[in-house]
Amino acid sequence: MASTVTGDTDGGRNWTFLTNHGHVLLAIARNPTARLRDVAAEVGVTERAAQAIVADLEAGGYLHRTRVGRRNEYTLNPAGRFRHPAEADRQVGDLLALFADTPTAKANPRA
């Protein structure tokens, strides 16, 4: 039977290099006005998990949420540093530049 996970070459174990936090940040970088249910669907987590992750990212200073009408708009902070000591000298803007489909027009290097 074929695996449903693309690139699954390790005998059926399902894992990725990026965490759900990284995936949510990238989804928001690609679409700063996305609804959380759409972000959750893209990442493959529940809407509640996406809400918790966005709250973590906001508390960590990686993004800022602004209410615009009935929607949220997110401003990213590409100057934020990675949390793990092995990458703490790098900015998340490097990750965004690598994986975001479009430049992060809503990025704020001063945030």
Side-chain angles (χ1 to χ4, degrees):
M1 173 177 267
S3 172
T4 58
V5 177
T6 302
D8 184 10
T9 61
D10 61 354
R13 293 182 55 198
N14 185 10
W15 61 274
T16 64
F17 281 103
L18 298 178
T19 66
N20 287 339
H21 282 66
H23 287 290
V24 167
L25 187 68
L26 289 170
I28 290 172
R30 292 181 190 117
N31 184 359
T33 59
R35 296 177 303 179
L36 279 183
R37 74 179 66 155
D38 297 329
V39 170
E42 179 179 338
V43 173
V45 298
T46 65
E47 190 172 346
R48 182 170 284 205
Q51 289 171 338
I53 291 168
V54 166
D56 288 346
L57 293 170
E58 188 171 24
Y62 296 97
L63 60 80
H64 177 74
R65 183 179 3 189
T66 304
R67 193 77 174 162
V68 178
R70 295 174 44 193
R71 307 271 306 254
N72 287 320
E73 185 170 320
Y74 300 93
T75 304
L76 303 180
N77 175 14
R81 300 284 178 179
F82 283 95
R83 295 172 53 100
H84 194 281
E87 295 89 28
D89 63 326
R90 303 298 300 257
Q91 297 178 339
V92 295
D94 297 338
L95 178 75
L96 298 173
L98 183 62
F99 286 104
D101 295 334
T102 59
T104 55
K106 287 292 185 180
N108 181 358
R110 295 176 281 121

XYZ file of all heavy atoms in Angstrom:
843
model
N 0.855 -1.184 0.000
C 0.000 0.000 0.000
C 0.890 1.232 0.000
O 1.838 1.336 0.763
C -0.900 -0.024 1.229
C -1.703 1.248 1.381
S -2.815 1.178 2.789
C -4.249 0.582 1.962
N 0.593 2.211 -0.818
C 1.379 3.438 -0.925
C 1.089 4.367 0.241
O -0.018 4.433 0.751
C 1.066 4.146 -2.240
N 2.100 5.087 0.643
C 1.957 6.052 1.736
C 1.230 7.295 1.246
O 1.383 7.705 0.101
C 3.347 6.450 2.250
O 3.224 7.498 3.166
N 0.437 7.888 2.126
C -0.271 9.112 1.759
C 0.546 10.347 2.091
O 0.159 11.442 1.775
C -1.620 9.208 2.500
O -1.375 9.167 3.905
C -2.543 8.087 2.091
N 1.696 10.164 2.724
C 2.548 11.289 3.087
C 3.589 11.475 2.002
O 4.358 10.569 1.715
C 3.241 11.045 4.453
C 4.172 12.184 4.790
C 2.207 10.843 5.542
N 3.604 12.642 1.380
C 4.562 12.926 0.335
C 5.972 12.912 0.914
O 6.236 13.500 1.953
C 4.282 14.312 -0.286
O 2.952 14.304 -0.777
C 5.246 14.624 -1.400
N 6.863 12.205 0.255
C 8.242 12.165 0.704
C 8.454 11.261 1.909
O 9.478 11.331 2.562
N 7.512 10.403 2.217
C 7.610 9.513 3.366
C 8.545 8.364 3.002
O 8.160 7.413 2.356
C 6.214 8.996 3.728
C 6.218 8.142 4.977
O 7.254 8.095 5.667
O 5.176 7.532 5.259
N 9.809 8.459 3.432
C 10.791 7.439 3.089
C 11.366 6.758 4.314
O 12.315 6.014 4.208
C 11.951 8.062 2.285
O 12.576 9.060 3.099
C 11.472 8.659 0.993
N 10.776 6.996 5.482
C 11.353 6.443 6.704
C 10.505 5.334 7.303
O 10.443 5.182 8.510
C 11.622 7.549 7.719
C 10.369 8.297 8.143
O 9.307 8.032 7.555
O 10.458 9.136 9.047
N 9.861 4.557 6.468
C 9.123 3.405 6.946
C 7.764 3.709 7.547
O 7.288 2.968 8.382
N 7.127 4.792 7.172
C 5.780 5.077 7.615
C 5.661 6.071 8.749
O 4.567 6.463 9.096
N 6.739 6.496 9.365
C 6.663 7.493 10.433
C 6.431 8.862 9.824
O 7.087 9.260 8.883
C 7.949 7.485 11.254
C 8.084 6.178 12.023
C 9.297 6.122 12.869
N 9.329 7.269 13.762
C 10.415 7.686 14.370
N 11.547 7.071 14.171
N 10.388 8.719 15.176
N 5.492 9.595 10.393
C 5.101 10.897 9.852
C 5.707 12.002 10.702
O 5.322 12.189 11.849
C 3.570 10.990 9.844
C 3.078 12.252 9.196
O 3.845 12.991 8.587
N 1.800 12.509 9.314
N 6.683 12.727 10.159
C 7.267 13.860 10.860
C 7.704 14.893 9.838
O 7.810 14.595 8.651
C 8.443 13.438 11.743
C 9.587 12.810 10.995
C 9.730 11.496 10.658
C 10.738 13.478 10.488
N 10.895 11.309 9.960
C 11.543 12.514 9.856
C 11.178 14.798 10.506
C 12.756 12.831 9.250
C 12.385 15.108 9.907
C 13.158 14.123 9.285
N 7.914 16.127 10.291
C 8.369 17.199 9.410
C 9.500 17.958 10.087
O 9.695 17.858 11.297
C 7.235 18.191 9.087
O 6.838 18.845 10.292
C 6.036 17.488 8.459
N 10.236 18.716 9.312
C 11.334 19.509 9.859
C 10.838 20.738 10.605
O 11.471 21.202 11.535
C 12.302 19.943 8.747
C 13.239 18.848 8.333
C 13.027 18.162 7.157
C 14.320 18.503 9.126
C 13.879 17.143 6.769
C 15.176 17.482 8.751
C 14.958 16.805 7.567
N 9.725 21.295 10.180
C 9.195 22.495 10.821
C 8.092 22.130 11.813
O 7.311 21.211 11.569
C 8.630 23.463 9.771
C 9.625 24.000 8.747
C 8.916 24.901 7.757
C 10.760 24.739 9.426
N 8.000 22.881 12.887
C 6.939 22.679 13.862
C 5.649 23.308 13.357
O 5.646 24.073 12.380
C 7.291 23.342 15.204
O 7.323 24.770 15.009
C 8.612 22.856 15.747
N 4.560 23.038 14.047
C 3.294 23.684 13.695
C 3.401 25.196 13.867
O 2.790 25.953 13.109
C 2.154 23.126 14.540
C 1.777 21.722 14.111
O 2.056 21.308 12.989
N 1.153 20.988 15.001
N 4.190 25.653 14.829
C 4.387 27.096 15.001
C 5.021 27.696 13.745
O 4.608 28.752 13.269
C 5.250 27.394 16.222
C 4.520 27.290 17.520
N 4.025 26.101 17.995
C 4.203 28.238 18.437
C 3.428 26.316 19.160
N 3.517 27.608 19.444
N 6.016 27.011 13.211
C 6.652 27.477 11.984
C 5.701 27.469 10.810
O 5.667 28.411 10.006
N 4.901 26.422 10.703
C 3.937 26.338 9.607
C 2.875 27.435 9.702
O 2.491 28.023 8.690
C 3.264 24.964 9.578
C 4.160 23.873 9.093
N 4.583 23.768 7.794
C 4.729 22.838 9.749
C 5.362 22.718 7.652
N 5.474 22.132 8.836
N 2.396 27.720 10.913
C 1.398 28.781 11.085
C 2.010 30.128 10.726
O 1.394 30.940 10.022
C 0.821 28.785 12.525
C 0.038 30.056 12.803
C -0.053 27.562 12.739
N 3.227 30.392 11.178
C 3.889 31.655 10.852
C 4.033 31.814 9.343
O 3.758 32.887 8.791
C 5.257 31.732 11.535
C 5.976 33.065 11.419
C 5.238 34.147 12.200
C 7.409 32.946 11.921
N 4.404 30.751 8.655
C 4.549 30.823 7.202
C 3.208 31.009 6.505
O 3.111 31.760 5.530
C 5.253 29.563 6.677
C 6.729 29.461 7.031
C 7.268 28.084 6.678
C 7.524 30.564 6.344
N 2.178 30.346 6.994
C 0.846 30.510 6.393
C 0.383 31.957 6.524
O -0.180 32.521 5.585
C -0.154 29.560 7.052
N 0.638 32.556 7.668
C 0.252 33.955 7.879
C 1.121 34.876 7.037
O 0.642 35.876 6.507
C 0.294 34.306 9.376
C -0.851 33.581 10.089
C 0.214 35.806 9.597
C -0.814 33.674 11.596
N 2.391 34.540 6.863
C 3.266 35.350 6.008
C 2.749 35.359 4.575
O 2.789 36.391 3.901
C 4.697 34.806 6.047
N 2.228 34.240 4.132
C 1.699 34.154 2.771
C 0.378 34.888 2.606
O 0.069 35.371 1.526
C 1.517 32.685 2.387
C 2.819 31.942 2.245
C 2.576 30.486 1.839
N 3.806 29.739 1.929
C 4.008 28.715 2.754
N 3.035 28.282 3.538
N 5.169 28.105 2.778
N -0.393 34.962 3.706
C -1.694 35.622 3.647
C -1.992 36.267 5.000
O -2.610 35.635 5.860
C -2.790 34.624 3.276
C -4.129 35.287 3.103
O -4.275 36.498 3.276
N -5.133 34.501 2.771
N -1.557 37.523 5.193
C -1.703 38.187 6.492
C -3.134 38.480 6.918
O -3.362 38.877 8.051
C -0.932 39.507 6.314
C -0.105 39.338 5.111
C -0.781 38.319 4.253
N -4.102 38.267 6.046
C -5.501 38.483 6.420
C -6.286 37.170 6.439
O -7.516 37.184 6.479
C -6.184 39.487 5.466
O -6.126 38.987 4.134
C -5.525 40.852 5.547
N -5.583 36.055 6.440
C -6.245 34.750 6.424
C -7.052 34.529 7.696
O -6.663 34.966 8.776
C -5.204 33.642 6.283
N -8.176 33.849 7.549
C -8.953 33.440 8.719
C -8.226 32.273 9.379
O -7.600 31.454 8.702
C -10.354 33.001 8.298
C -11.168 34.129 7.687
C -12.508 33.642 7.225
N -12.309 32.537 6.267
C -13.270 31.868 5.690
N -14.525 32.143 5.960
N -13.016 30.910 4.840
N -8.327 32.192 10.697
C -7.638 31.118 11.407
C -8.116 29.739 10.978
O -7.323 28.798 10.953
C -7.776 31.287 12.917
C -6.800 32.282 13.538
C -6.961 32.321 15.041
C -5.370 31.952 13.174
N -9.373 29.619 10.587
C -9.840 28.303 10.126
C -9.119 27.909 8.843
O -8.840 26.731 8.621
C -11.350 28.274 9.955
C -11.858 29.017 8.727
C -13.348 28.923 8.605
N -13.920 29.641 9.734
C -15.112 30.186 9.761
N -15.900 30.067 8.736
N -15.534 30.836 10.785
N -8.786 28.895 8.001
C -8.046 28.598 6.772
C -6.589 28.270 7.074
O -5.998 27.383 6.458
C -8.153 29.767 5.800
C -9.592 30.023 5.364
O -10.387 29.054 5.299
O -9.936 31.195 5.114
N -6.002 29.005 8.011
C -4.627 28.704 8.448
C -4.578 27.293 9.023
O -3.693 26.501 8.693
C -4.129 29.748 9.477
C -2.811 29.315 10.105
C -3.986 31.121 8.827
N -5.532 26.966 9.887
C -5.580 25.637 10.504
C -5.681 24.549 9.441
O -4.981 23.532 9.515
C -6.756 25.566 11.471
N -6.536 24.756 8.458
C -6.703 23.765 7.388
C -5.415 23.607 6.584
O -5.033 22.479 6.241
C -7.857 24.167 6.474
N -4.744 24.708 6.302
C -3.492 24.647 5.539
C -2.412 23.896 6.309
O -1.661 23.105 5.738
C -3.007 26.067 5.216
C -1.710 26.105 4.440
C -1.260 27.516 4.099
O -2.087 28.443 4.070
O -0.048 27.681 3.858
N -2.341 24.135 7.599
C -1.297 23.527 8.428
C -1.648 22.091 8.823
O -0.767 21.271 9.037
C -1.045 24.406 9.684
C -0.100 23.748 10.658
C -0.518 25.775 9.259
N -2.946 21.801 8.916
C -3.365 20.470 9.319
C -3.553 20.332 10.818
O -3.281 19.279 11.388
N -3.998 21.419 11.454
C -4.281 21.416 12.888
C -5.715 21.894 13.091
O -6.357 22.372 12.164
C -3.297 22.326 13.682
C -1.870 21.819 13.545
C -3.398 23.779 13.229
N -6.207 21.775 14.310
C -7.543 22.275 14.604
C -7.509 23.797 14.680
O -6.447 24.411 14.854
C -8.056 21.727 15.945
O -7.226 22.235 16.998
C -8.079 20.206 15.956
N -8.674 24.393 14.561
C -8.758 25.855 14.678
C -8.322 26.300 16.067
O -7.649 27.325 16.222
C -10.175 26.327 14.377
C -10.282 27.835 14.243
C -11.641 28.289 13.745
O -12.430 27.476 13.247
O -11.914 29.505 13.868
N -8.668 25.531 17.076
C -8.255 25.862 18.447
C -6.733 25.819 18.584
O -6.127 26.667 19.239
C -8.898 24.906 19.440
C -8.528 25.238 20.878
C -9.353 24.454 21.821
N -10.672 25.051 21.852
C -11.500 24.959 22.855
N -11.159 24.279 23.921
N -12.674 25.521 22.809
N -6.097 24.825 17.969
C -4.635 24.742 18.004
C -4.024 25.944 17.283
O -3.040 26.528 17.762
C -4.152 23.439 17.374
N -4.593 26.328 16.157
C -4.100 27.495 15.420
C -4.232 28.755 16.272
O -3.322 29.596 16.292
C -4.835 27.657 14.102
N -5.340 28.891 16.990
C -5.527 30.042 17.881
C -4.456 30.069 18.960
O -3.876 31.124 19.258
C -6.906 30.013 18.530
C -8.041 30.298 17.597
C -9.401 30.042 18.237
O -9.522 29.301 19.211
N -10.429 30.649 17.666
N -4.172 28.924 19.551
C -3.151 28.849 20.604
C -1.769 29.178 20.053
O -0.980 29.887 20.698
C -3.156 27.457 21.243
N -1.478 28.701 18.867
C -0.181 28.977 18.244
C -0.041 30.464 17.935
O 0.999 31.066 18.200
C 0.013 28.112 16.981
C 0.189 26.647 17.389
C 1.194 28.601 16.150
C 0.114 25.662 16.234
N -1.093 31.074 17.378
C -1.054 32.515 17.097
C -0.852 33.297 18.396
O -0.077 34.252 18.441
C -2.312 32.978 16.331
C -2.448 34.490 16.328
C -2.265 32.447 14.899
N -1.515 32.868 19.462
C -1.327 33.531 20.761
C 0.122 33.404 21.227
O 0.709 34.373 21.727
C -2.282 32.946 21.796
N 0.720 32.223 21.051
C 2.135 32.029 21.397
C 3.033 32.943 20.566
O 3.955 33.582 21.099
C 2.570 30.582 21.137
C 2.016 29.577 22.117
O 1.493 29.979 23.183
O 2.104 28.359 21.810
N 2.786 32.986 19.257
C 3.610 33.810 18.370
C 3.468 35.291 18.698
O 4.440 36.042 18.647
C 3.246 33.539 16.909
C 3.593 32.136 16.390
C 2.974 31.912 15.013
C 5.092 31.924 16.364
N 2.252 35.697 19.055
C 2.027 37.102 19.417
C 2.717 37.419 20.744
O 3.400 38.440 20.859
C 0.533 37.396 19.498
C 0.234 38.868 19.670
C -1.241 39.191 19.521
O -2.099 38.312 19.725
O -1.544 40.361 19.201
N 2.582 36.542 21.719
C 3.232 36.759 23.026
C 4.750 36.772 22.890
O 5.437 37.495 23.615
C 2.801 35.672 24.009
N 5.284 36.005 21.938
C 6.719 35.953 21.708
C 7.248 37.103 20.868
O 8.451 37.209 20.651
N 6.354 37.946 20.367
C 6.775 39.095 19.574
C 7.032 38.798 18.113
O 7.612 39.618 17.405
N 6.572 37.642 17.621
C 6.799 37.283 16.231
C 5.742 37.846 15.294
O 5.971 37.953 14.094
C 6.855 35.759 16.073
C 8.030 35.174 16.819
C 7.872 34.640 18.095
C 9.302 35.199 16.269
C 8.944 34.125 18.792
C 10.383 34.685 16.961
C 10.197 34.156 18.225
O 11.274 33.657 18.913
N 4.591 38.177 15.848
C 3.553 38.804 15.036
C 2.676 39.669 15.924
O 2.693 39.553 17.147
C 2.708 37.768 14.273
C 1.922 36.703 15.029
C 0.611 37.245 15.578
C 1.632 35.562 14.082
N 1.951 40.559 15.272
C 1.010 41.447 15.956
C -0.318 41.330 15.231
O -0.369 41.341 14.006
C 1.516 42.892 15.936
C 0.560 43.851 16.551
N 0.352 43.932 17.909
C -0.263 44.756 15.983
C -0.563 44.859 18.152
N -0.949 45.371 16.999
N -1.371 41.214 16.008
C -2.719 41.052 15.459
C -3.466 42.375 15.574
O -3.500 42.991 16.635
C -3.432 39.964 16.258
C -4.779 39.616 15.795
C -5.424 38.508 16.601
N -4.613 38.039 17.719
C -4.890 36.979 18.447
N -5.952 36.268 18.186
N -4.126 36.615 19.443
N -4.076 42.811 14.475
C -4.887 44.028 14.451
C -6.262 43.678 13.910
O -6.372 42.982 12.890
C -4.241 45.094 13.542
O -2.911 45.347 13.979
C -5.041 46.389 13.561
N -7.275 44.152 14.578
C -8.644 43.919 14.114
C -8.971 44.921 13.017
O -8.828 46.130 13.193
C -9.612 44.094 15.301
C -10.977 43.592 15.043
C -10.978 42.088 15.148
N -12.342 41.598 15.031
C -12.639 40.371 14.755
N -11.699 39.487 14.582
N -13.880 39.999 14.664
N -9.400 44.448 11.871
C -9.795 45.285 10.740
C -11.194 44.836 10.341
O -11.352 43.810 9.689
C -8.810 45.159 9.560
C -9.274 46.012 8.390
C -7.401 45.531 9.982
N -12.191 45.603 10.776
C -13.576 45.198 10.527
C -13.874 43.926 11.284
O -13.661 43.838 12.487
N -14.312 42.916 10.570
C -14.632 41.632 11.194
C -13.487 40.638 11.119
O -13.618 39.500 11.555
C -15.859 41.042 10.504
C -17.098 41.882 10.732
C -18.297 41.403 9.957
N -18.461 39.951 9.997
C -19.283 39.284 9.210
N -20.003 39.926 8.318
N -19.389 37.979 9.298
N -12.358 41.044 10.572
C -11.225 40.135 10.363
C -10.019 40.607 11.147
O -9.937 41.755 11.575
C -10.841 40.100 8.878
C -11.942 39.799 7.907
C -12.191 38.359 7.576
N -11.111 37.563 7.102
C -10.956 37.166 5.858
N -11.778 37.570 4.917
N -9.979 36.362 5.546
N -9.059 39.723 11.303
C -7.761 40.068 11.867
C -6.770 40.252 10.729
O -6.844 39.560 9.713
C -7.240 38.962 12.792
C -7.987 38.905 14.090
O -8.317 39.938 14.670
N -8.261 37.707 14.569
N -5.858 41.163 10.931
C -4.738 41.328 10.015
C -3.473 41.187 10.845
O -3.378 41.730 11.945
C -4.782 42.691 9.329
C -3.707 42.853 8.282
C -3.892 44.099 7.442
O -5.047 44.414 7.096
O -2.886 44.751 7.155
N -2.511 40.450 10.319
C -1.302 40.142 11.067
C -0.108 40.877 10.471
O 0.060 40.923 9.260
C -1.047 38.637 11.056
C -2.181 37.859 11.665
C -3.204 37.351 10.878
C -2.258 37.673 13.033
C -4.262 36.655 11.434
C -3.310 36.984 13.613
C -4.306 36.477 12.800
O -5.353 35.795 13.362
N 0.698 41.429 11.355
C 1.950 42.062 10.971
C 3.068 41.215 11.565
O 3.073 40.943 12.770
C 2.047 43.499 11.536
O 0.902 44.237 11.100
C 3.310 44.187 11.064
N 3.990 40.782 10.725
C 5.070 39.910 11.175
C 6.292 40.712 11.596
O 6.526 41.810 11.099
C 5.458 38.951 10.056
C 4.331 38.077 9.522
C 4.853 37.188 8.414
C 3.721 37.258 10.632
N 7.067 40.135 12.482
C 8.319 40.733 12.932
C 9.471 39.856 12.439
O 9.868 38.912 13.121
C 8.349 40.835 14.460
C 9.679 41.335 14.972
O 10.490 41.851 14.210
N 9.909 41.178 16.259
N 10.021 40.145 11.265
C 11.088 39.302 10.729
C 12.388 39.407 11.530
O 13.271 38.567 11.369
C 11.274 39.820 9.298
C 10.785 41.221 9.349
C 9.683 41.239 10.368
N 12.509 40.391 12.400
C 13.719 40.538 13.214
C 13.696 39.640 14.444
O 14.699 39.534 15.151
C 13.896 41.994 13.638
N 12.572 38.976 14.706
C 12.504 38.066 15.846
C 13.522 36.953 15.697
O 13.804 36.480 14.600
N 14.080 36.533 16.797
C 15.115 35.489 16.793
C 14.498 34.114 17.017
O 13.489 33.983 17.690
C 16.132 35.756 17.911
C 16.853 37.072 17.793
C 17.889 36.997 16.748
N 18.553 38.292 16.591
C 19.519 38.489 15.744
N 19.940 37.515 14.981
N 20.074 39.670 15.630
N 15.132 33.096 16.456
C 14.719 31.731 16.730
C 14.909 31.437 18.208
O 15.814 31.970 18.852
C 15.519 30.734 15.887
C 15.079 30.670 14.463
C 15.720 31.420 13.495
C 14.017 29.864 14.087
C 15.314 31.367 12.181
C 13.603 29.804 12.772
C 14.254 30.563 11.820
N 14.073 30.586 18.759
C 14.070 30.323 20.191
C 15.091 29.281 20.623
O 15.559 29.297 21.749
C 12.676 29.899 20.625
C 11.670 31.026 20.435
C 10.257 30.581 20.681
N 10.056 29.921 21.948
C 9.553 30.503 23.041
N 9.206 31.758 23.002
N 9.393 29.819 24.138
N 15.431 28.353 19.762
C 16.382 27.306 20.136
C 17.796 27.878 20.156
O 18.177 28.617 19.237
C 16.297 26.137 19.153
C 16.987 24.912 19.641
N 18.345 24.754 19.568
C 16.496 23.791 20.230
C 18.675 23.585 20.073
N 17.568 22.988 20.487
N 18.589 27.554 21.179
C 19.947 28.113 21.272
C 20.816 27.857 20.039
O 21.667 28.675 19.699
C 20.539 27.407 22.505
C 19.360 26.994 23.318
C 18.255 26.715 22.340
N 20.586 26.755 19.347
C 21.399 26.439 18.171
C 21.158 27.416 17.017
O 22.022 27.572 16.151
C 21.128 25.012 17.704
N 19.981 28.070 16.993
C 19.660 29.014 15.921
C 19.375 30.411 16.445
O 18.896 31.266 15.703
C 18.421 28.538 15.136
C 18.615 27.243 14.380
C 18.274 26.029 15.220
O 17.427 26.139 16.124
O 18.870 24.962 14.983
N 19.656 30.672 17.696
C 19.289 31.955 18.318
C 19.970 33.153 17.666
O 19.514 34.286 17.828
C 19.601 31.925 19.812
N 21.014 32.922 16.901
C 21.690 34.027 16.225
C 21.040 34.373 14.886
O 21.464 35.302 14.210
C 23.164 33.690 16.010
C 23.372 32.486 15.106
O 22.532 31.557 15.151
O 24.376 32.462 14.374
N 20.000 33.647 14.502
C 19.312 33.881 13.226
C 17.943 34.488 13.447
O 17.295 34.249 14.450
C 19.129 32.551 12.459
C 20.398 31.781 12.159
C 21.368 32.546 11.274
N 20.826 32.892 9.989
C 21.112 32.274 8.861
N 21.927 31.248 8.854
N 20.584 32.683 7.733
N 17.495 35.272 12.475
C 16.183 35.912 12.531
C 15.154 35.063 11.782
O 15.481 34.419 10.782
C 16.234 37.308 11.911
C 17.143 38.259 12.651
C 17.200 39.615 11.986
O 16.895 39.771 10.819
N 17.601 40.609 12.765
N 13.899 35.114 12.240
C 12.850 34.350 11.555
C 12.594 34.899 10.159
O 12.042 34.198 9.320
C 11.539 34.287 12.366
C 11.732 33.532 13.659
C 10.962 35.635 12.606
N 13.019 36.127 9.894
C 12.906 36.675 8.544
C 13.634 35.819 7.525
O 13.231 35.746 6.362
N 14.717 35.137 7.958
C 15.430 34.225 7.060
C 14.527 33.070 6.640
O 14.511 32.669 5.482
C 16.685 33.675 7.744
C 17.710 34.743 8.081
O 17.686 35.829 7.458
O 18.535 34.491 8.976
N 13.765 32.534 7.579
C 12.825 31.460 7.287
C 11.709 31.966 6.381
O 11.333 31.308 5.413
C 12.237 30.901 8.586
C 11.193 29.806 8.424
C 11.867 28.492 8.038
C 10.409 29.641 9.705
N 11.190 33.140 6.694
C 10.117 33.718 5.887
C 10.581 33.934 4.447
O 9.843 33.640 3.503
C 9.639 35.029 6.495
C 9.040 34.938 7.897
C 8.765 36.328 8.447
C 7.799 34.085 7.904
N 11.788 34.441 4.279
C 12.315 34.684 2.936
C 12.490 33.375 2.170
O 12.294 33.328 0.960
C 13.638 35.430 3.022
N 12.815 32.324 2.880
C 13.044 31.034 2.242
C 11.753 30.356 1.798
O 11.672 29.795 0.715
C 13.801 30.113 3.211
C 14.198 28.740 2.706
C 15.161 28.853 1.529
C 14.833 27.950 3.840
N 10.699 30.444 2.635
C 9.497 29.673 2.390
C 8.263 30.464 1.979
O 7.336 29.884 1.429
C 9.126 28.846 3.622
C 10.027 27.662 3.821
C 11.003 27.690 4.790
C 9.901 26.534 3.033
C 11.838 26.608 4.985
C 10.719 25.447 3.219
C 11.703 25.484 4.201
N 8.182 31.727 2.292
C 6.982 32.494 1.934
C 6.951 32.677 0.425
O 7.963 32.967 -0.207
C 6.965 33.832 2.655
N 5.770 32.513 -0.155
C 5.627 32.617 -1.611
C 5.843 34.036 -2.111
O 6.296 34.251 -3.214
C 4.229 32.155 -2.038
C 4.021 30.682 -1.763
O 5.007 29.928 -1.725
O 2.859 30.281 -1.581
N 5.477 35.000 -1.290
C 5.605 36.394 -1.680
C 6.340 37.138 -0.586
O 6.339 36.724 0.573
C 4.219 37.048 -1.869
O 3.497 36.950 -0.653
C 3.447 36.393 -2.981
N 6.966 38.256 -0.910
C 7.621 39.043 0.137
C 6.606 39.460 1.197
O 5.437 39.706 0.897
C 8.148 40.270 -0.608
C 8.151 39.899 -2.038
C 7.075 38.856 -2.218
N 7.043 39.528 2.422
C 6.140 39.874 3.528
C 5.971 41.383 3.599
O 6.666 42.076 4.320
C 6.684 39.324 4.849
O 8.008 39.805 5.025
C 6.686 37.810 4.862
N 5.035 41.878 2.785
C 4.793 43.321 2.702
C 4.355 43.885 4.044
O 4.573 45.048 4.321
C 3.737 43.598 1.636
N 3.743 43.066 4.875
C 3.276 43.525 6.172
C 4.305 43.277 7.266
O 4.000 43.357 8.429
C 1.959 42.826 6.537
C 0.796 43.336 5.727
C 0.514 44.742 6.135
C -0.713 45.288 5.445
N -0.983 46.638 5.825
N 5.525 42.946 6.893
C 6.567 42.713 7.896
C 6.988 44.033 8.508
O 7.052 45.060 7.851
C 7.762 42.026 7.243
N 7.282 43.990 9.786
C 7.689 45.185 10.519
C 9.002 44.887 11.243
O 8.989 44.241 12.280
C 6.614 45.598 11.514
C 6.981 46.845 12.285
O 8.054 47.394 12.110
N 6.092 47.286 13.148
N 10.146 45.323 10.719
C 11.428 45.000 11.337
C 11.621 45.663 12.692
O 12.484 45.297 13.433
C 12.455 45.496 10.313
C 11.736 46.520 9.512
C 10.287 46.111 9.520
N 10.789 46.637 13.046
C 10.937 47.318 14.324
C 10.108 46.693 15.426
O 10.255 47.034 16.577
C 10.538 48.792 14.188
C 11.474 49.554 13.262
C 11.006 50.988 13.071
N 9.916 50.995 12.102
C 8.692 51.450 12.353
N 8.384 51.937 13.508
N 7.765 51.427 11.437
N 9.201 45.789 15.094
C 8.283 45.212 16.097
C 8.997 44.346 17.099
O 10.050 43.870 16.925
C 7.173 44.423 15.406
